[in-house]
């Protein structure tokens, strides 16, 4: 079980890093007024990355910090959606 939990932790850290990279790309797209590309990054975060992160975090155990992190990511995503006029 230890090996599996270690893999899950590494996967979670990798997903966090990837989500942060997409958020940076969204900020750049907003600055450059590339709305379509920004929408792509939002969909990528919303549809696949956050869901995968939630599933991996749930497999480890429900932690208050993990739940807060997911909420933070979703709130940031909603702010970017408003900036891009998606909502």
């Amino acid at each position: 079980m230890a090996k599996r939990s270690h893999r899950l932790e590494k996967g979670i850290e990798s997903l966090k890093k990837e989500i942060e990279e997409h958020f940076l790309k969204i900020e750049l797209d907003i600055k450059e007024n590339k709305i379509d590309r920004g929408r792509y990054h939002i969909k990528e975060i919303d549809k696949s990355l956050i869901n995968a992160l939630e599933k991996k975090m749930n497999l480890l155990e429900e932690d208050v910090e993990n739940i807060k992190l997911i909420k933070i990511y979703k709130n940031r995503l909603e702010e970017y959606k408003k900036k891009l006029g998606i909502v």
Side-chain angles (χ1 to χ4, degrees):
M1 186 68 171
K3 191 173 187 179
R4 182 177 180 199
S5 63
H6 181 67
R7 263 193 214 147
L8 283 171
E9 289 172 359
K10 285 178 71 174
I12 288 170
E13 290 305 314
S14 175
L15 283 169
K16 287 179 187 177
K17 183 180 175 185
E18 192 171 347
I19 289 171
E20 288 298 330
E21 289 174 0
H22 276 280
F23 277 133
L24 291 174
K25 290 176 183 178
I26 292 170
E27 289 176 17
L28 183 63
D29 292 338
I30 290 172
K31 287 179 185 175
E32 295 177 353
N33 201 24
K34 296 182 179 178
I35 305 302
D36 290 335
R37 207 165 74 183
R39 287 181 179 168
Y40 163 77
H41 292 295
I42 286 176
K43 286 181 182 179
E44 187 71 22
I45 293 171
D46 195 24
K47 302 292 183 202
S48 64
L49 296 175
I50 288 180
N51 290 336
L53 184 63
E54 277 182 306
K55 288 176 185 176
K56 286 187 181 207
M57 286 180 168
N58 286 334
L59 286 174
L60 276 179
E61 61 184 50
E62 290 205 21
D63 186 13
V64 176
E65 289 181 28
N66 292 343
I67 295 169
K68 286 181 182 178
L69 181 65
I70 295 295
K71 287 182 181 180
I72 289 170
Y73 283 153
K74 286 184 178 182
N75 288 337
R76 281 178 71 187
L77 196 61
E78 288 303 315
E79 289 176 22
Y80 285 125
K81 284 181 179 180
K82 288 178 185 175
K83 286 182 181 179
L84 291 173
I86 295 174
V87 180

